[in-house]
Amino acid sequence: MTHLDLSDARIAVIGSGTMGIGIAQLAIMNGHLTVLYDLDREKTQQAVEGLHQTFAKLVEKGKITDEQAQQACSRLSIADGIEDLADVNLVIEAVVEKLQVKQSLFQQLAAICNEHTIFATNTSSISVTEIAAGIPQPERVVGLHFFNPAPVMKLVEIVQGLKTPAGLCHALKTLMLNWKKIPVLTKSTPGFIVNRIARPFYAEAFRALQEQVTTYEQLDYALKQCGGFAMGPCELTDLIGQDVNFSVTQSVYEAFFYEPRYRPSLVQKELVDAGAWGRKSKQGFYHYDEKNQYSTFQPEVITATAFQARLQVKGAWSQLPELLTRLALNGGTENEENIIQMDDIDLRLSQGESANLNYLSRKTVLMDWHHDFSKAQAVVLSHNQLCQADDLAKVEAFFAQYQIHVIWITDHPALLTLRTLVLLINEACEASLHGIASMEDIDNAMRYGVNYPKGPYQWMMQLGAQYVLQTLNNLYAIYGEEKYRASLYLKQYVAQQQSVTANDSKDLTAFA
């Protein structure tokens, strides 16, 4: 399979649901003779009729020509029975997410198709190695995980089982590139890349809610405004379905032998138990009307008040280079702690400390990280118990001068955005430690699979690996939980970074 060419492959798509018909659409649009098979013939016919309507809309919008639509439709046929798939080169199954169903299907096909037919599973969570174990010639079984909706979403995870040859994966990568997709290569591991590395985005949000740090509306607003995410974790899980997201988390948790990093949340379980599954049930974290519209958090209009305080800036604030520019302040030296002193109040950029546990003798306000402080509309802050109401008002007045809204949360180590990012980075490092995927593929997977503004390693370069490591070490010291233990891969990267020249330390690929 080293030089396998799939450019003219005859393709069978099994399953005529949303994912299956979407994959069939991709195949026929890219010139492949394609046969669609489903046990439910009526459902299959309805899916094809729906596809014709989709093409009509694309023609109407000028996305494709009428001729292109007709040619694509002419390449699609419906199989009367599974025997009609005997002469295809590539089978892509998109059936129910159950191991026994997928294995049984491939076993039937193994008796019908020739031994060189490729069996690709669109599974999002089941081990490709386990699926292949019950199939003759298991080396032809591979994961080809599309994201919904398949014609729109760019990412495809190509999953290598234990016996899947690298040549087959690379042939599929070439095919996906021809289909204008962004393919990433991953080993068969629970959750693959996206569903594994994304877990902290939800887990840390739900933990903040369980610890009564903030409200779900403010949490979503903070992750969007300060983190640059398109949707907050509560909005996104409502969209996915709380039941679906919870099930994936459970699956990953169990598959990793109950690794604490993936432990499901009681906050989410309560929603699932109540049938509050999100948009599809019209209630999750949010309440939805008949048009699926819902109310989101909006900060109050800033009323600027007179700010009077003695200011002194220490440190270079290299993790937030735009901050001092936005606040029209001159920084100190790189070897000083990052502190803005307002009279007797210390404003610090969080490094994962607890305001109440780590700062006992001075009034201290901890600030969350912001992805672009030059355009910041809000900043998330916490404070220790020494701060009084007039101190908080003074801090608010300071930021109000620059039209920046302050969102106060309860003392929460690493606050919201920073905590989310360092845990995402740490999970990516664990995946790299285990050789699951390359740094580039991990970044692409998270950007194009779940629409993150950056990949974990891009964030690590922006924040600085040493800062990420320090934040994780502080979280681990406070909580004493394994889920906050810094990855060995991250520790090794920081150690190497400290031992090479300044120019080399900027090259992330030196450690790949």
Side-chain angles (χ1 to χ4, degrees):
M1 291 186 179
T2 306
H3 303 292
L4 184 62
D5 182 3
L6 297 173
S7 57
D8 294 319
R10 297 184 304 281
I11 295 176
V13 177
I14 302 180
S16 59
T18 303
M19 182 60 77
I21 198 66
I23 295 170
Q25 178 182 334
L26 282 168
I28 61 178
M29 281 297 295
N30 284 280
H32 295 270
L33 292 176
T34 303
V35 56
L36 182 64
Y37 173 68
D38 194 297
L39 288 174
D40 188 335
R41 174 74 185 221
E42 182 178 350
K43 178 184 174 183
T44 307
Q45 190 62 52
Q46 291 173 350
V48 172
E49 290 171 2
L51 181 56
H52 289 166
Q53 293 173 9
T54 297
F55 280 136
K57 291 177 183 178
L58 291 173
V59 171
E60 185 179 336
K61 293 178 180 179
K63 301 288 186 181
I64 59 175
T65 66
D66 186 60
E67 183 182 2
Q68 287 174 319
Q70 290 183 28
Q71 288 178 349
C73 290
S74 71
R75 299 185 191 107
L76 182 64
S77 60
I78 298 175
D80 292 320
I82 197 169
E83 296 79 10
D84 293 347
L85 312 184
D87 64 347
V88 301
N89 308 115
L90 170 63
V91 175
I92 305 174
E93 68 79 11
V95 300
V96 64
E97 191 75 345
K98 292 183 179 180
L99 172 65
Q100 293 79 7
V101 174
K102 294 179 187 294
Q103 275 191 335
S104 176
L105 175 62
F106 283 163
Q107 285 167 353
Q108 290 180 65
L109 288 167
I112 296 168
C113 303
N114 73 61
E115 62 182 19
H116 299 297
T117 304
I118 299 163
F119 296 158
T121 171
N122 186 57
T123 181
S124 60
S125 60
I126 301 173
S127 165
V128 172
T129 297
E130 192 171 6
I131 292 173
I135 312 301
Q137 291 85 41
E139 65 276 3
R140 57 174 159 175
V141 179
V142 64
L144 197 61
H145 179 214
F146 292 83
F147 287 72
N148 197 29
V152 176
M153 296 294 285
K154 290 288 188 182
L155 186 73
V156 179
E157 289 180 319
I158 299 172
V159 187
Q160 183 177 19
L162 184 63
K163 295 187 177 181
T164 310
L168 173 54
C169 294
H170 288 292
L172 285 169
K173 180 177 181 179
T174 300
L175 180 67
M176 291 301 101
L177 288 171
N178 290 341
W179 289 14
K180 306 297 188 294
K181 293 296 182 181
I182 296 174
V184 294
L185 302 179
T186 175
K187 290 184 179 178
S188 181
T189 184
F192 310 141
I193 301 176
V194 173
N195 281 328
R196 171 185 177 164
I197 294 178
R199 290 305 103 200
F201 182 70
Y202 313 114
E204 293 310 311
F206 297 153
R207 181 155 195 169
L209 295 178
Q210 189 164 347
E211 294 180 2
Q212 303 180 74
V213 169
T214 186
T215 66
Y216 64 85
E217 300 102 326
Q218 284 190 333
L219 175 66
D220 279 348
Y221 177 83
L223 269 292
K224 290 186 292 185
Q225 162 59 212
C226 305
F229 291 92
M231 297 184 76
C234 300
E235 291 175 297
L236 182 55
T237 48
D238 267 5
L239 175 62
I240 295 168
Q242 297 297 339
D243 53 336
V244 174
N245 185 263
F246 183 72
S247 177
V248 172
T249 302
Q250 277 189 308
S251 174
V252 173
Y253 180 54
E254 292 168 5
F256 272 106
F257 304 110
Y258 304 98
E259 166 65 49
R261 297 201 309 279
Y262 312 115
R263 182 179 294 123
S265 165
L266 291 173
V267 169
Q268 191 174 37
K269 183 178 186 299
E270 189 173 38
L271 290 175
V272 173
D273 290 346
W277 299 331
R279 292 194 187 189
K280 60 187 175 183
S281 63
K282 300 302 180 186
Q283 181 183 350
F285 283 106
Y286 295 87
H287 292 269
Y288 298 87
D289 63 19
E290 64 280 357
K291 296 181 180 179
N292 276 331
Q293 295 177 331
Y294 57 102
S295 299
T296 58
F297 173 80
Q298 295 297 328
E300 297 176 2
V301 176
I302 296 173
T303 303
T305 57
F307 172 75
Q308 292 182 337
R310 177 178 173 273
L311 285 178
Q312 183 178 1
V313 182
K314 298 180 180 179
W317 292 79
S318 58
Q319 277 75 37
L320 275 179
E322 308 96 346
L323 177 130
L324 298 183
T325 302
R326 174 75 181 271
L327 302 181
L329 297 173
N330 295 318
T333 62
E334 189 70 50
N335 59 0
E336 290 182 300
E337 286 189 280
N338 292 330
I339 303 174
I340 297 176
Q341 291 182 335
M342 303 177 203
D343 293 334
D344 59 344
I345 306 167
D346 289 349
L347 174 67
R348 294 170 172 267
L349 177 63
S350 173
Q351 293 186 88
E353 323 96 304
S354 161
N356 286 316
L357 297 179
N358 293 97
Y359 302 105
L360 305 176
S361 60
R362 283 185 61 84
K363 297 175 181 178
T364 301
V365 172
L366 294 178
M367 182 170 66
D368 205 348
W369 185 81
H370 198 291
H371 77 110
D372 185 0
F373 209 90
S374 67
K375 299 176 182 176
Q377 300 174 25
V379 63
V380 176
L381 305 177
S382 64
H383 60 86
N384 65 7
Q385 295 174 353
L386 297 176
C387 294
Q388 304 300 312
D390 58 338
D391 299 314
L392 305 186
K394 185 181 295 184
V395 173
E396 290 173 10
F398 171 69
F399 283 105
Q401 299 175 100
Y402 310 97
Q403 291 297 299
I404 299 173
H405 182 80
V406 169
I407 298 175
W408 292 105
I409 67 170
T410 303
D411 179 29
H412 191 58
L415 292 100
L416 302 177
T417 295
L418 177 61
R419 183 153 163 166
T420 299
L421 294 189
V422 298
L423 267 296
L424 288 170
I425 292 167
N426 200 49
E427 193 59 44
C429 288
E430 281 292 283
S432 293
L433 181 67
H434 300 149
I436 302 306
S438 69
M439 288 179 168
E440 180 183 5
D441 278 355
I442 287 173
D443 275 351
N444 281 335
M446 303 316 291
R447 287 181 61 203
Y448 296 103
V450 278
N451 198 29
Y452 285 176
K454 291 190 176 182
Y457 286 112
Q458 292 172 317
W459 272 316
M460 188 173 87
M461 293 301 290
Q462 183 177 359
L463 288 163
Q466 178 60 55
Y467 177 49
V468 173
L469 179 58
Q470 183 62 56
T471 302
L472 286 165
N473 286 342
N474 286 335
L475 284 168
Y476 186 52
I478 291 169
Y479 283 99
E481 296 181 25
E482 280 296 295
K483 70 176 297 185
Y484 299 113
R485 174 181 50 80
S487 171
L488 176 62
Y489 192 85
L490 175 61
K491 294 178 181 179
Q492 290 173 335
Y493 176 74
V494 171
Q496 180 179 3
Q497 196 178 44
Q498 292 171 343
S499 68
V500 297
T501 65
N503 287 335
D504 288 340
S505 69
K506 295 177 183 177
D507 183 8
L508 190 62
T509 60
F511 194 65

